[in-house]
Amino acid sequence: MSRIIDRGLEEQAALLAKMGELTFETLETSIYGYLEGRNVKTQVREMSDVLVAMADKVEDQTFELIARFQPVASDLRTIKSYMKIGNDFARYGRYALDITSIAEQLGGLTQCEAWIQQYLSLMSQKVLFMVKVSVDSLRRHDVTLAKTITAPEREVDRMYLEFLNKLISDASASSKCVASGLLVTRYFERIADHAVYVCESIIYVVTGEKANLG
Amino acid sequence: MTETQQKPIQPDPQAKMQSINLDVWFGQKQVLKSINLSVKPNTVTAIIGPSGCGKSTFIRTLNRMHELVPNAKLNGQVLLDGEDIYAKNVDPVMIRRRVGMVFQKPNPFPTMSIYDNVAAGLKLTGAKKGEDLDDIVKKSLIQASLWEEVKDDLKKPGTSISGGQQQRLCIARAVALRPEVILMDEPCSALDPIATAKIEKLVIELKQNYTVIIVTHNMQQASRVSDFTAFMYLGDLVEYGRTKDIFESPKSKLTEQYITGEFS
Protein backbone atom coordinates (compact mmCIF):
# COMPACT_ATOMS: atom_id res chain seq x y z
CA MET A 1 0.00 0.00 0.00
CA SER A 2 1.49 3.35 -0.97
CA ARG A 3 1.69 6.15 1.57
CA ILE A 4 0.62 9.74 1.06
CA ILE A 5 4.23 10.93 1.18
CA ASP A 6 5.16 8.59 -1.70
CA ARG A 7 3.64 10.81 -4.37
CA GLY A 8 5.74 13.77 -3.24
CA LEU A 9 8.88 11.65 -3.14
CA GLU A 10 8.18 10.34 -6.64
CA GLU A 11 7.69 13.86 -7.97
CA GLN A 12 10.97 14.93 -6.43
CA ALA A 13 12.79 11.91 -7.88
CA ALA A 14 11.36 12.61 -11.34
CA LEU A 15 12.44 16.24 -11.17
CA LEU A 16 15.98 15.26 -10.15
CA ALA A 17 16.15 12.68 -12.95
CA LYS A 18 15.34 15.46 -15.43
CA MET A 19 17.96 17.66 -13.78
CA GLY A 20 20.49 14.85 -14.14
CA GLU A 21 19.89 14.64 -17.90
CA LEU A 22 20.02 18.40 -18.34
CA THR A 23 23.11 18.81 -16.20
CA PHE A 24 25.05 16.32 -18.35
CA GLU A 25 23.85 17.98 -21.54
CA THR A 26 24.82 21.42 -20.21
CA LEU A 27 28.33 20.35 -19.30
CA GLU A 28 28.80 18.53 -22.61
CA THR A 29 27.69 21.61 -24.55
CA SER A 30 29.97 23.88 -22.56
CA ILE A 31 33.05 21.66 -22.61
CA TYR A 32 32.86 20.76 -26.32
CA GLY A 33 32.22 24.41 -27.16
CA TYR A 34 35.39 25.30 -25.26
CA LEU A 35 37.46 22.50 -26.78
CA GLU A 36 36.25 23.21 -30.33
CA GLY A 37 36.30 27.01 -30.11
CA ARG A 38 32.53 27.55 -30.45
CA ASN A 39 30.71 30.29 -28.53
CA VAL A 40 27.87 28.53 -26.72
CA LYS A 41 27.51 30.95 -23.82
CA THR A 42 23.92 32.01 -24.54
CA GLN A 43 22.76 28.43 -24.83
CA VAL A 44 24.62 27.31 -21.70
CA ARG A 45 23.35 30.30 -19.71
CA GLU A 46 19.76 29.34 -20.51
CA MET A 47 20.41 25.74 -19.51
CA SER A 48 22.18 26.78 -16.33
CA ASP A 49 19.31 29.10 -15.38
CA VAL A 50 16.85 26.24 -15.86
CA LEU A 51 18.99 24.06 -13.58
CA VAL A 52 19.00 26.75 -10.88
CA ALA A 53 15.20 27.09 -11.15
CA MET A 54 14.83 23.31 -10.89
CA ALA A 55 17.08 23.22 -7.81
CA ASP A 56 14.88 25.90 -6.24
CA LYS A 57 11.85 23.75 -6.98
CA VAL A 58 13.48 20.71 -5.37
CA GLU A 59 14.16 22.85 -2.30
CA ASP A 60 10.52 24.02 -2.21
CA GLN A 61 9.35 20.42 -2.49
CA THR A 62 11.67 19.45 0.36
CA PHE A 63 10.24 22.09 2.65
CA GLU A 64 6.69 21.12 1.73
CA LEU A 65 7.36 17.42 2.40
CA ILE A 66 8.92 18.22 5.77
CA ALA A 67 6.12 20.58 6.76
CA ARG A 68 3.28 18.31 5.68
CA PHE A 69 4.54 14.79 6.33
CA GLN A 70 7.30 15.06 8.98
CA PRO A 71 9.43 12.43 7.22
CA VAL A 72 11.81 10.21 9.16
CA ALA A 73 14.41 7.51 8.46
CA SER A 74 14.88 6.72 4.74
CA ASP A 75 12.24 9.30 3.76
CA LEU A 76 14.10 12.02 5.65
CA ARG A 77 17.46 10.94 4.25
CA THR A 78 16.03 10.93 0.76
CA ILE A 79 14.53 14.40 0.74
CA LYS A 80 17.50 15.93 2.57
CA SER A 81 19.86 14.35 0.03
CA TYR A 82 17.67 15.24 -2.95
CA MET A 83 17.85 18.89 -1.95
CA LYS A 84 21.63 18.64 -1.67
CA ILE A 85 21.91 16.85 -5.03
CA GLY A 86 19.70 19.51 -6.63
CA ASN A 87 22.23 22.11 -5.49
CA ASP A 88 25.13 19.96 -6.76
CA PHE A 89 23.45 19.76 -10.17
CA ALA A 90 22.90 23.53 -10.18
CA ARG A 91 26.61 23.95 -9.41
CA TYR A 92 27.44 21.76 -12.42
CA GLY A 93 25.44 24.23 -14.50
CA ARG A 94 27.24 27.24 -13.03
CA TYR A 95 30.66 25.70 -13.72
CA ALA A 96 29.53 24.99 -17.28
CA LEU A 97 28.65 28.66 -17.62
CA ASP A 98 31.99 29.69 -16.10
CA ILE A 99 33.81 27.60 -18.73
CA THR A 100 31.96 29.38 -21.54
CA SER A 101 32.88 32.73 -19.96
CA ILE A 102 36.57 31.75 -20.05
CA ALA A 103 36.24 30.82 -23.70
CA GLU A 104 34.59 34.17 -24.40
CA GLN A 105 37.18 36.26 -22.52
CA LEU A 106 40.38 34.41 -23.35
CA GLY A 107 39.57 32.82 -26.68
CA GLY A 108 39.00 29.17 -27.52
CA LEU A 109 41.36 26.39 -26.78
CA THR A 110 42.10 25.92 -30.50
CA GLN A 111 44.63 28.80 -30.30
CA CYS A 112 46.66 26.98 -27.61
CA GLU A 113 49.57 24.57 -27.77
CA ALA A 114 48.72 21.03 -28.85
CA TRP A 115 49.69 19.46 -25.54
CA ILE A 116 47.35 21.82 -23.65
CA GLN A 117 44.50 20.94 -26.01
CA GLN A 118 45.16 17.24 -25.63
CA TYR A 119 45.49 17.46 -21.86
CA LEU A 120 42.24 19.39 -21.36
CA SER A 121 40.41 17.10 -23.78
CA LEU A 122 41.54 14.04 -21.83
CA MET A 123 40.67 15.60 -18.47
CA SER A 124 37.26 16.71 -19.74
CA GLN A 125 36.44 13.12 -20.75
CA LYS A 126 37.24 11.91 -17.25
CA VAL A 127 35.12 14.66 -15.71
CA LEU A 128 32.16 13.94 -17.99
CA PHE A 129 32.49 10.25 -17.12
CA MET A 130 32.30 11.13 -13.42
CA VAL A 131 29.23 13.29 -13.97
CA LYS A 132 27.59 10.41 -15.82
CA VAL A 133 28.41 8.04 -12.94
CA SER A 134 26.83 10.47 -10.48
CA VAL A 135 23.68 10.91 -12.58
CA ASP A 136 23.31 7.16 -13.19
CA SER A 137 23.91 6.38 -9.50
CA LEU A 138 21.08 8.74 -8.63
CA ARG A 139 18.72 7.41 -11.30
CA ARG A 140 19.22 3.79 -10.19
CA HIS A 141 20.00 4.44 -6.49
CA ASP A 142 23.03 2.29 -7.21
CA VAL A 143 25.44 2.18 -4.26
CA THR A 144 27.92 -0.10 -6.04
CA LEU A 145 28.16 2.29 -8.97
CA ALA A 146 28.40 5.30 -6.64
CA LYS A 147 31.39 3.77 -4.87
CA THR A 148 33.31 3.56 -8.18
CA ILE A 149 33.62 7.36 -8.22
CA THR A 150 36.72 7.39 -6.00
CA ALA A 151 39.23 6.16 -8.59
CA PRO A 152 38.40 8.70 -11.35
CA GLU A 153 38.19 11.47 -8.72
CA ARG A 154 41.75 10.75 -7.63
CA GLU A 155 42.81 10.65 -11.27
CA VAL A 156 41.26 14.08 -11.90
CA ASP A 157 42.99 15.50 -8.81
CA ARG A 158 46.28 14.02 -10.00
CA MET A 159 45.80 15.43 -13.51
CA TYR A 160 44.99 18.88 -12.13
CA LEU A 161 48.26 19.02 -10.16
CA GLU A 162 50.21 17.52 -13.06
CA PHE A 163 48.79 20.17 -15.41
CA LEU A 164 49.90 22.93 -13.05
CA ASN A 165 53.42 21.52 -12.98
CA LYS A 166 53.53 21.20 -16.75
CA LEU A 167 52.40 24.82 -17.18
CA ILE A 168 55.11 26.01 -14.79
CA SER A 169 57.81 24.12 -16.67
CA ASP A 170 56.55 25.13 -20.17
CA ALA A 171 57.61 28.77 -20.57
CA SER A 172 56.48 28.84 -24.20
CA ALA A 173 52.75 28.68 -23.49
CA SER A 174 50.90 31.95 -24.12
CA SER A 175 49.60 33.81 -21.11
CA LYS A 176 46.00 33.51 -22.38
CA CYS A 177 46.33 29.75 -22.66
CA VAL A 178 47.94 29.51 -19.23
CA ALA A 179 45.12 31.52 -17.66
CA SER A 180 42.45 29.64 -19.57
CA GLY A 181 43.94 26.23 -18.80
CA LEU A 182 44.41 27.05 -15.13
CA LEU A 183 40.84 28.22 -14.65
CA VAL A 184 39.18 25.48 -16.66
CA THR A 185 41.13 22.65 -15.04
CA ARG A 186 40.19 24.17 -11.70
CA TYR A 187 36.50 24.07 -12.74
CA PHE A 188 36.96 20.46 -13.88
CA GLU A 189 38.39 19.59 -10.49
CA ARG A 190 35.44 21.25 -8.73
CA ILE A 191 32.92 19.50 -11.00
CA ALA A 192 34.59 16.20 -10.09
CA ASP A 193 34.20 17.09 -6.40
CA HIS A 194 30.45 17.63 -6.87
CA ALA A 195 30.17 14.28 -8.66
CA VAL A 196 31.68 12.74 -5.52
CA TYR A 197 29.19 14.62 -3.31
CA VAL A 198 26.29 13.27 -5.36
CA CYS A 199 27.59 9.71 -5.03
CA GLU A 200 28.07 10.15 -1.28
CA SER A 201 24.48 11.37 -1.03
CA ILE A 202 23.19 8.28 -2.83
CA ILE A 203 25.03 6.02 -0.39
CA TYR A 204 23.52 7.98 2.50
CA VAL A 205 20.01 7.70 1.03
CA VAL A 206 20.22 3.95 0.54
CA THR A 207 22.28 2.84 3.55
CA GLY A 208 22.29 5.71 6.04
CA GLU A 209 26.09 5.58 5.94
CA LYS A 210 27.93 8.90 5.65
CA ALA A 211 30.59 7.82 3.19
CA ASN A 212 33.72 9.76 2.30
CA LEU A 213 34.56 8.89 -1.30
CA GLY A 214 36.97 11.73 -1.98
CA MET B 1 25.27 4.84 17.78
CA THR B 2 22.43 2.41 18.27
CA GLU B 3 22.76 0.17 21.29
CA THR B 4 21.73 -3.35 20.55
CA GLN B 5 20.89 -6.10 22.99
CA GLN B 6 23.92 -8.02 24.22
CA LYS B 7 23.77 -11.18 26.31
CA PRO B 8 24.51 -11.98 29.06
CA ILE B 9 23.35 -8.66 30.43
CA GLN B 10 25.22 -7.13 33.34
CA PRO B 11 23.92 -4.38 35.61
CA ASP B 12 24.78 -1.04 34.02
CA PRO B 13 26.35 1.22 36.67
CA GLN B 14 25.44 4.26 34.56
CA ALA B 15 21.74 3.38 34.43
CA LYS B 16 18.99 4.96 36.51
CA MET B 17 16.69 2.09 35.61
CA GLN B 18 17.46 -1.14 33.84
CA SER B 19 15.45 -4.16 32.85
CA ILE B 20 17.35 -7.42 32.52
CA ASN B 21 15.87 -10.36 30.61
CA LEU B 22 12.41 -9.15 31.58
CA ASP B 23 9.54 -11.49 30.71
CA VAL B 24 5.92 -10.78 31.58
CA TRP B 25 2.88 -12.99 31.18
CA PHE B 26 -0.80 -12.25 31.63
CA GLY B 27 -2.15 -15.74 32.26
CA GLN B 28 -0.78 -17.94 29.47
CA LYS B 29 -0.02 -15.05 27.16
CA GLN B 30 3.55 -13.74 27.16
CA VAL B 31 3.42 -9.99 26.57
CA LEU B 32 7.08 -9.07 27.18
CA LYS B 33 9.96 -11.20 25.92
CA SER B 34 13.39 -10.83 27.48
CA ILE B 35 13.47 -7.05 27.48
CA ASN B 36 16.93 -5.62 28.15
CA LEU B 37 16.92 -1.86 28.35
CA SER B 38 19.11 0.58 30.23
CA VAL B 39 17.80 4.08 30.93
CA LYS B 40 20.31 6.80 31.72
CA PRO B 41 19.56 9.37 34.44
CA ASN B 42 18.19 12.79 33.50
CA THR B 43 17.17 11.71 30.05
CA VAL B 44 13.84 11.30 28.29
CA THR B 45 13.31 7.85 26.81
CA ALA B 46 10.40 7.30 24.45
CA ILE B 47 8.82 3.88 24.05
CA ILE B 48 7.12 3.48 20.68
CA GLY B 49 5.40 0.62 18.90
CA PRO B 50 2.02 -0.44 17.57
CA SER B 51 -0.94 -1.14 19.83
CA GLY B 52 -0.49 -4.33 21.80
CA CYS B 53 3.30 -4.40 21.49
CA GLY B 54 3.76 -4.28 25.27
CA LYS B 55 5.00 -0.74 25.76
CA SER B 56 2.43 0.22 28.42
CA THR B 57 2.97 -3.10 30.17
CA PHE B 58 6.69 -2.47 30.11
CA ILE B 59 6.53 0.90 31.86
CA ARG B 60 4.09 -0.52 34.39
CA THR B 61 6.68 -3.11 35.33
CA LEU B 62 9.04 -0.26 36.16
CA ASN B 63 7.03 0.69 39.24
CA ARG B 64 5.30 -2.66 39.83
CA MET B 65 1.91 -1.36 38.70
CA HIS B 66 1.44 -4.38 36.44
CA GLU B 67 1.06 -6.42 39.63
CA LEU B 68 -2.41 -4.90 39.97
CA VAL B 69 -3.47 -6.98 36.93
CA PRO B 70 -4.79 -10.45 37.93
CA ASN B 71 -2.70 -13.38 36.64
CA ALA B 72 0.31 -11.15 35.91
CA LYS B 73 3.62 -12.98 36.21
CA LEU B 74 7.14 -11.63 35.81
CA ASN B 75 10.60 -13.10 35.31
CA GLY B 76 13.85 -11.20 35.17
CA GLN B 77 14.96 -8.06 36.93
CA VAL B 78 14.16 -4.38 37.05
CA LEU B 79 16.93 -2.36 38.66
CA LEU B 80 16.53 1.11 40.14
CA ASP B 81 19.97 2.53 40.93
CA GLY B 82 21.25 -1.03 40.68
CA GLU B 83 18.75 -2.47 43.22
CA ASP B 84 16.14 -4.99 42.11
CA ILE B 85 12.69 -3.50 42.72
CA TYR B 86 11.22 -7.02 42.79
CA ALA B 87 13.45 -8.22 45.63
CA LYS B 88 11.48 -9.75 48.52
CA ASN B 89 12.17 -6.99 51.02
CA VAL B 90 11.13 -4.14 48.69
CA ASP B 91 7.87 -2.30 49.43
CA PRO B 92 5.96 -1.58 46.19
CA VAL B 93 4.52 1.60 47.71
CA MET B 94 8.01 2.98 48.20
CA ILE B 95 8.91 2.04 44.65
CA ARG B 96 5.85 3.90 43.35
CA ARG B 97 6.94 6.91 45.37
CA ARG B 98 10.37 6.82 43.72
CA VAL B 99 8.96 5.98 40.28
CA GLY B 100 5.87 8.10 39.62
CA MET B 101 3.32 7.65 36.89
CA VAL B 102 1.22 9.98 34.73
CA PHE B 103 -1.61 8.36 32.81
CA GLN B 104 -3.20 8.74 29.40
CA LYS B 105 -6.26 10.66 30.56
CA PRO B 106 -5.96 13.40 33.16
CA ASN B 107 -7.29 11.88 36.36
CA PRO B 108 -7.37 14.49 39.13
CA PHE B 109 -9.25 13.37 42.22
CA PRO B 110 -12.71 14.78 41.42
CA THR B 111 -13.73 15.74 44.93
CA MET B 112 -10.46 17.46 45.79
CA SER B 113 -9.28 21.00 45.22
CA ILE B 114 -6.30 21.84 43.03
CA TYR B 115 -4.21 22.22 46.20
CA ASP B 116 -5.36 18.91 47.68
CA ASN B 117 -4.76 17.07 44.42
CA VAL B 118 -1.11 18.07 44.54
CA ALA B 119 -0.82 17.36 48.24
CA ALA B 120 -2.76 14.09 48.16
CA GLY B 121 0.21 11.81 47.67
CA LEU B 122 2.20 13.48 50.41
CA LYS B 123 -0.72 13.28 52.81
CA LEU B 124 -1.05 9.57 52.08
CA THR B 125 2.61 8.63 52.28
CA GLY B 126 3.65 11.33 54.71
CA ALA B 127 5.75 14.39 54.11
CA LYS B 128 9.32 14.25 55.27
CA LYS B 129 10.28 15.92 58.51
CA GLY B 130 10.65 19.67 58.16
CA GLU B 131 8.80 19.83 54.86
CA ASP B 132 6.22 22.54 54.43
CA LEU B 133 3.21 21.32 52.49
CA ASP B 134 2.34 24.76 51.06
CA ASP B 135 5.89 25.11 49.83
CA ILE B 136 5.91 21.69 48.20
CA VAL B 137 2.55 22.31 46.49
CA LYS B 138 3.78 25.63 45.12
CA LYS B 139 7.09 24.20 43.91
CA SER B 140 5.35 21.23 42.31
CA LEU B 141 2.90 23.47 40.46
CA ILE B 142 5.81 25.65 39.30
CA GLN B 143 7.68 22.58 38.08
CA ALA B 144 4.55 21.49 36.23
CA SER B 145 4.31 24.95 34.62
CA LEU B 146 0.86 25.43 36.16
CA TRP B 147 1.45 27.79 39.10
CA GLU B 148 0.88 31.04 37.22
CA GLU B 149 -2.43 29.76 35.86
CA VAL B 150 -3.92 28.45 39.13
CA LYS B 151 -2.19 30.30 41.98
CA ASP B 152 -5.37 32.31 42.72
CA ASP B 153 -7.67 29.32 42.40
CA LEU B 154 -6.03 26.68 44.57
CA LYS B 155 -9.25 25.93 46.42
CA LYS B 156 -11.24 25.31 43.22
CA PRO B 157 -11.94 21.69 42.26
CA GLY B 158 -9.19 19.97 40.32
CA THR B 159 -11.72 19.11 37.65
CA SER B 160 -12.66 22.77 37.09
CA ILE B 161 -9.62 23.49 34.93
CA SER B 162 -9.05 22.53 31.26
CA GLY B 163 -7.93 19.06 30.18
CA GLY B 164 -4.40 20.23 29.49
CA GLN B 165 -4.22 21.95 32.87
CA GLN B 166 -5.61 18.82 34.55
CA GLN B 167 -2.81 16.77 32.99
CA ARG B 168 -0.22 19.23 34.27
CA LEU B 169 -1.95 19.03 37.65
CA CYS B 170 -1.42 15.26 37.55
CA ILE B 171 2.23 15.87 36.72
CA ALA B 172 2.43 18.26 39.70
CA ARG B 173 0.86 15.54 41.86
CA ALA B 174 3.53 13.08 40.70
CA VAL B 175 6.32 15.63 41.14
CA ALA B 176 5.17 16.52 44.68
CA LEU B 177 6.39 13.14 45.89
CA ARG B 178 9.86 14.00 44.58
CA PRO B 179 10.18 10.84 42.52
CA GLU B 180 13.42 9.98 40.79
CA VAL B 181 11.75 8.61 37.68
CA ILE B 182 8.50 9.75 36.04
CA LEU B 183 6.66 7.31 33.79
CA MET B 184 4.21 8.79 31.31
CA ASP B 185 1.74 6.63 29.45
CA GLU B 186 0.56 8.58 26.38
CA PRO B 187 0.14 11.74 28.43
CA CYS B 188 -1.02 13.86 25.49
CA SER B 189 -3.38 11.50 23.72
CA ALA B 190 -6.46 13.24 25.13
CA LEU B 191 -5.15 16.78 24.66
CA ASP B 192 -5.38 19.42 21.93
CA PRO B 193 -2.22 20.63 20.11
CA ILE B 194 -1.72 23.65 22.38
CA ALA B 195 -2.00 21.62 25.57
CA THR B 196 0.20 18.95 23.97
CA ALA B 197 2.91 21.51 23.18
CA LYS B 198 2.90 22.65 26.83
CA ILE B 199 3.25 19.09 28.10
CA GLU B 200 6.06 18.38 25.64
CA LYS B 201 7.94 21.49 26.75
CA LEU B 202 7.38 20.42 30.33
CA VAL B 203 8.73 16.91 29.67
CA ILE B 204 11.98 18.39 28.37
CA GLU B 205 12.23 20.69 31.41
CA LEU B 206 11.50 17.83 33.82
CA LYS B 207 14.55 15.85 32.75
CA GLN B 208 16.79 18.36 34.51
CA ASN B 209 15.57 16.90 37.80
CA TYR B 210 14.05 13.56 36.85
CA THR B 211 14.47 10.63 34.53
CA VAL B 212 11.46 10.48 32.22
CA ILE B 213 10.16 7.45 30.33
CA ILE B 214 7.26 8.21 28.02
CA VAL B 215 5.05 5.90 25.99
CA THR B 216 3.67 7.56 22.89
CA HIS B 217 1.92 6.66 19.66
CA ASN B 218 2.98 9.95 18.17
CA MET B 219 6.24 9.54 16.24
CA GLN B 220 6.82 13.27 16.02
CA GLN B 221 6.30 13.61 19.75
CA ALA B 222 8.87 10.89 20.39
CA SER B 223 11.36 12.59 18.08
CA ARG B 224 10.69 16.02 19.62
CA VAL B 225 10.96 15.23 23.31
CA SER B 226 13.16 12.19 23.76
CA ASP B 227 16.90 11.61 23.92
CA PHE B 228 16.57 7.86 23.47
CA THR B 229 13.90 5.80 21.73
CA ALA B 230 12.96 2.16 22.12
CA PHE B 231 10.85 0.44 19.46
CA MET B 232 8.82 -2.55 20.62
CA TYR B 233 6.93 -5.05 18.53
CA LEU B 234 4.91 -8.07 19.66
CA GLY B 235 6.53 -8.02 23.10
CA ASP B 236 10.10 -7.74 21.79
CA LEU B 237 12.44 -4.79 22.09
CA VAL B 238 13.38 -4.48 18.43
CA GLU B 239 15.69 -1.50 18.59
CA TYR B 240 16.90 0.98 21.18
CA GLY B 241 19.22 3.89 20.64
CA ARG B 242 19.63 7.61 20.41
CA THR B 243 16.49 9.24 19.06
CA LYS B 244 18.46 10.97 16.30
CA ASP B 245 19.78 7.63 15.09
CA ILE B 246 16.44 5.83 15.34
CA PHE B 247 14.63 8.51 13.33
CA GLU B 248 17.43 9.12 10.82
CA SER B 249 19.02 5.74 10.21
CA PRO B 250 17.31 2.91 12.10
CA LYS B 251 19.25 -0.33 12.04
CA SER B 252 16.22 -2.58 11.92
CA LYS B 253 14.04 -2.87 8.82
CA LEU B 254 11.06 -3.35 11.13
CA THR B 255 11.77 -0.04 12.88
CA GLU B 256 12.13 1.67 9.50
CA GLN B 257 8.79 0.27 8.35
CA TYR B 258 7.01 1.31 11.53
CA ILE B 259 8.26 4.88 11.80
CA THR B 260 7.80 5.60 8.09
CA GLY B 261 4.26 4.24 8.12
CA GLU B 262 5.02 1.28 5.85
CA PHE B 263 3.52 -1.23 8.27
CA SER B 264 0.88 -3.31 6.51
Side-chain angles (χ1 to χ4, degrees):
Chain A
M1 190 179 78
S2 68
R3 304 160 305 151
I4 53 174
I5 193 176
D6 287 337
R7 190 172 166 189
L9 291 170
E10 285 162 11
E11 282 176 8
Q12 211 176 23
L15 182 56
L16 271 185
K18 277 186 192 167
M19 278 190 87
E21 287 172 20
L22 181 59
T23 205
F24 190 78
E25 194 185 332
T26 307
L27 278 167
E28 256 193 339
T29 304
S30 166
I31 287 170
Y32 284 115
Y34 174 70
L35 294 174
E36 294 165 5
R38 287 182 286 109
N39 187 344
V40 290
K41 188 171 183 183
T42 304
Q43 187 184 351
V44 170
R45 180 186 293 281
E46 284 173 6
M47 295 163 105
S48 174
D49 288 347
V50 171
L51 284 169
V52 169
M54 291 169 99
D56 288 344
K57 189 167 181 186
V58 171
E59 190 174 296
D60 287 345
Q61 286 177 333
T62 298
F63 277 69
E64 184 181 350
L65 288 171
I66 290 171
R68 293 182 62 193
F69 303 111
Q70 298 89 46
V72 292
S74 59
D75 295 333
L76 180 61
R77 298 200 302 271
T78 299
I79 65 163
K80 178 205 170 201
S81 300
Y82 279 4
M83 186 169 79
K84 191 166 174 291
I85 291 169
N87 286 325
D88 287 323
F89 283 172
R91 290 306 306 160
Y92 283 154
R94 282 308 182 203
Y95 285 124
L97 185 59
D98 288 340
I99 290 168
T100 62
S101 296
I102 296 302
E104 188 181 61
Q105 288 172 20
L106 300 174
L109 195 62
T110 50
Q111 308 299 316
C112 296
E113 287 76 359
W115 76 265
I116 294 179
Q117 292 185 41
Q118 286 165 7
Y119 205 95
L120 285 172
S121 175
L122 182 62
M123 198 171 171
S124 71
Q125 292 310 308
K126 293 198 179 294
V127 168
L128 283 172
F129 170 76
M130 287 181 70
V131 171
K132 187 161 188 340
V133 167
S134 70
V135 171
D136 287 347
S137 298
L138 167 69
R139 188 163 44 81
R140 306 202 300 251
H141 276 207
D142 188 335
V143 170
T144 306
L145 180 61
K147 286 181 175 173
T148 65
I149 203 78
T150 301
E153 203 269 339
R154 287 183 180 158
E155 177 65 5
V156 167
D157 279 352
R158 188 196 63 74
M159 289 183 77
Y160 173 60
L161 294 173
E162 185 180 70
F163 184 72
L164 293 183
N165 288 328
K166 279 178 179 281
L167 278 181
I168 291 165
S169 61
D170 183 359
S172 66
S174 72
S175 56
K176 279 189 177 180
C177 288
V178 169
S180 173
L182 273 175
L183 287 166
V184 171
T185 52
R186 178 64 180 156
Y187 295 145
F188 285 169
E189 193 268 335
R190 292 299 300 141
I191 292 165
D193 284 345
H194 282 276
V196 171
Y197 301 154
V198 171
C199 289
E200 287 173 346
S201 292
I202 293 308
I203 292 170
Y204 177 64
V205 166
V206 176
T207 69
E209 175 197 347
K210 289 180 176 168
N212 182 359
L213 300 175
Chain B
M1 189 170 164
T2 300
E3 295 160 25
T4 53
Q5 288 178 251
Q6 301 284 333
K7 290 180 182 178
I9 303 297
Q10 299 298 323
D12 175 2
Q14 307 294 322
K16 183 67 191 175
M17 291 206 85
Q18 183 181 12
S19 68
I20 298 179
N21 296 331
L22 185 70
D23 298 315
V24 171
W25 289 264
F26 290 140
Q28 297 298 311
K29 183 176 169 56
Q30 186 171 6
V31 291
L32 294 180
K33 300 168 188 168
S34 194
I35 304 294
N36 291 293
L37 192 142
S38 176
V39 176
K40 291 179 173 53
N42 299 101
T43 59
V44 178
T45 298
I47 315 284
I48 61 171
S51 297
C53 71
K55 52 191 186 299
S56 291
T57 300
F58 175 67
I59 66 163
R60 280 168 165 74
T61 64
L62 300 181
N63 72 349
R64 299 184 59 164
M65 277 199 63
H66 80 289
E67 291 176 333
L68 305 175
V69 178
N71 301 322
K73 191 176 80 177
L74 177 144
N75 270 349
Q77 289 180 298
V78 174
L79 307 183
L80 175 61
D81 288 334
E83 301 292 328
D84 188 0
I85 68 170
Y86 288 94
K88 281 184 180 171
N89 58 342
V90 175
D91 177 5
V93 175
M94 282 313 294
I95 291 300
R96 287 169 202 150
R97 183 166 179 159
R98 291 177 68 191
V99 184
M101 172 85 88
V102 176
F103 296 90
Q104 188 171 353
K105 287 183 182 168
N107 57 353
F109 301 123
T111 57
M112 290 187 190
S113 66
I114 291 169
Y115 181 98
D116 286 340
N117 260 281
V118 179
L122 282 174
K123 284 179 178 172
L124 280 171
T125 59
K128 289 177 185 167
K129 195 177 175 185
E131 285 183 325
D132 178 68
L133 206 54
D134 290 351
D135 191 42
I136 293 172
V137 168
K138 181 179 177 180
K139 280 180 180 167
S140 302
L141 286 167
I142 288 171
Q143 280 199 313
S145 301
L146 192 58
W147 173 252
E148 289 301 323
E149 295 164 55
V150 300
K151 63 184 177 187
D152 298 323
D153 301 311
L154 294 176
K155 297 299 171 194
K156 285 189 176 175
T159 50
S160 66
I161 52 182
S162 73
Q165 288 172 323
Q166 286 182 31
Q167 192 63 307
R168 280 182 282 148
L169 179 60
C170 294
I171 292 171
R173 187 172 66 194
V175 163
L177 291 169
R178 254 76 49 81
E180 295 156 54
V181 179
I182 299 176
L183 310 173
M184 295 184 167
D185 193 355
E186 297 186 54
C188 302
S189 63
L191 305 182
D192 68 23
I194 294 166
T196 296
K198 286 181 179 171
I199 299 284
E200 289 181 358
K201 185 167 175 277
L202 177 57
V203 167
I204 293 168
E205 288 168 1
L206 285 172
K207 77 174 176 180
Q208 290 176 22
N209 297 308
Y210 310 96
T211 301
V212 180
I213 303 172
I214 180 170
V215 164
T216 178
H217 270 127
N218 183 325
M219 295 301 111
Q220 283 68 46
Q221 181 170 82
S223 62
R224 280 192 297 264
V225 304
S226 70
D227 304 295
F228 294 88
T229 295
F231 169 57
M232 296 182 66
Y233 184 64
L234 297 176
D236 286 309
L237 175 61
V238 175
E239 188 165 353
Y240 173 54
R242 291 189 180 280
T243 297
K244 178 184 182 297
D245 295 331
I246 295 285
F247 283 92
E248 185 180 333
S249 300
K251 298 283 181 268
S252 159
K253 184 73 184 165
L254 208 56
T255 312
E256 164 89 25
Q257 287 175 326
Y258 180 69
I259 65 175
T260 59
E262 284 179 15
F263 250 36
S264 54

